Amino acid sequence: MSEKSFLAEKLCSGKPVVTAWSLLSAPLVPELLARAGYEAVTLDLQHGMLDFEAAVETMALIALGGAHRIARIPVGDNALAGRLVDMGAECIIAPMINSKREAEEFARSIKYPPVGERSWSPFRAAMLNGQTSDQYLKNANSQTLSLAMIETQDAIDALDDILSVSELDGIFVGPSDLSLSLSQGSALDPNGAGTAEVCARIAEKARAAGKLAGIFCLSGEKVEEAVQQGYQLMSHGIDTIFLDHAARAALKEVEQLAQAGGGPKAGY
Ligand code: 3PY
Ligand code: MG
């Protein structure tokens, strides 16, 4: 059997990783994304439709599809962060982290003592990793990543403090909320030049502090821009958008063929 690779090892070795993003409560969809070749799939329990039970089943299917398992928790839900790493999430993304204290509390919730106060019982995670309890305990703190989302003016103001949290592995930028916060609610501009400039500065600071930097991207161009800025974990490809685009394209093709055939426009 080939040696198991962990997301943390890849990212810490400097390798960029692109993750698909899943909002649907449909466990087979993340498995399909994994089998399509995404190196990781992120389950969004902040804005998505899936709950803890669906996440448990889905993470097993992502593993079956050969990808890494990432989950985003709802704001401030560190208890859920602990439950999700117990169920096999290799990385937790925590939204709206705006202070050093919030970053510390989040990061400590998924690290075992002496780093944090994660509570013991990783039966499912160890099983998915193919590890014994002893192996899991030995490696969990370095193989389980905590990424604090930077997506408000408050977070930018507290960035140096957040980056000084030793228990925290890195940050993950949310450019939509960031643009909303920076414009005081007047503009949603995740892809704008002003937002990109701030994102570049965040990556620079994160790298200088020795932390991992990730970012939510809405296009392939944004993924490439993020890599150039020094980001390593980029999201790209949301399941709901994939389905919407694919359905529209398929329907358009059928309609175009019907029109080219000279018949009346098909009523599909
Ligand atoms: C943001 O851009 O604010 C995000 O949280 C991405 O989902
Ligand atoms: Mg956000």
Side-chain angles (χ1 to χ4, degrees):
M1 204 169 96
S2 66
E3 191 75 359
K4 209 162 170 51
S5 73
F6 289 89
L7 179 66
E9 285 159 9
K10 286 187 188 171
L11 291 173
C12 293
S13 73
K15 190 182 179 302
V17 172
V18 175
T19 176
W21 199 273
S22 181
L23 297 173
L24 292 169
S25 185
L28 206 63
V29 171
E31 183 184 336
L32 281 169
L33 295 169
R35 290 188 186 278
Y38 278 98
E39 223 169 328
V41 183
T42 301
L43 304 182
D44 190 350
L45 285 89
Q46 181 191 18
H47 292 302
M49 283 149 256
L50 72 168
D51 59 13
F52 176 71
E53 268 178 44
V56 174
E57 184 183 348
T58 309
M59 285 197 283
L61 294 182
I62 295 171
L64 189 65
H68 297 291
R69 310 167 296 272
I70 304 176
R72 173 161 75 171
I73 55 172
V75 176
D77 200 342
N78 294 335
L80 183 59
R83 295 183 78 196
L84 288 166
V85 289
D86 278 351
M87 295 303 144
E90 293 176 66
C91 173
I92 300 290
I93 298 174
M96 297 283 177
I97 296 290
N98 291 328
S99 68
K100 182 173 181 177
R101 188 182 53 78
E102 287 171 3
E104 275 169 350
E105 286 175 359
F106 157 58
R108 293 176 65 86
S109 73
I110 61 164
K111 302 282 182 185
Y112 289 118
V115 179
E117 49 267 339
R118 178 178 171 190
S119 167
W120 178 256
S121 195
F123 165 73
R124 184 56 172 152
M127 204 172 152
L128 284 181
N129 288 353
Q131 293 169 317
T132 63
S133 291
D134 285 351
Q135 286 167 334
Y136 188 84
L137 178 59
K138 191 160 159 255
N139 297 302
N141 281 359
S142 59
Q143 288 175 347
T144 309
L145 298 172
S146 55
L147 302 183
M149 286 197 77
I150 304 299
E151 47 184 353
T152 63
Q153 179 67 58
D154 285 349
I156 301 279
D157 295 343
L159 188 56
D160 290 337
D161 284 346
I162 291 171
L163 289 170
S164 76
V165 173
S166 60
E167 300 91 332
L168 186 72
D169 296 297
I171 54 94
F172 193 91
V173 176
S176 292
D177 278 315
L178 188 59
S179 66
L180 264 187
S181 175
L182 296 181
S183 68
Q184 303 202 334
S186 69
L188 183 63
D189 192 18
N191 295 321
T195 311
E197 228 172 81
V198 179
C199 293
R201 285 209 302 276
I202 297 171
E204 211 176 295
K205 283 199 162 199
R207 304 307 295 258
K211 300 290 191 196
L212 297 172
I215 187 166
F216 189 88
C217 297
L218 288 155
S219 66
E221 290 76 34
K222 278 286 167 189
V223 170
E224 192 44 39
E225 179 185 273
V227 171
Q228 299 308 324
Q229 289 172 337
Y231 286 95
Q232 267 179 275
L233 177 64
M234 283 72 52
S235 76
H236 169 256
I238 306 175
D239 54 8
T240 48
I241 294 182
F242 276 147
L243 270 174
D244 181 56
H245 287 185
R248 285 172 196 276
L251 193 53
K252 195 167 174 192
E253 190 189 0
V254 171
E255 287 173 350
Q256 280 169 348
L257 286 172
Q259 274 168 0
K265 190 169 175 291
Y268 299 112

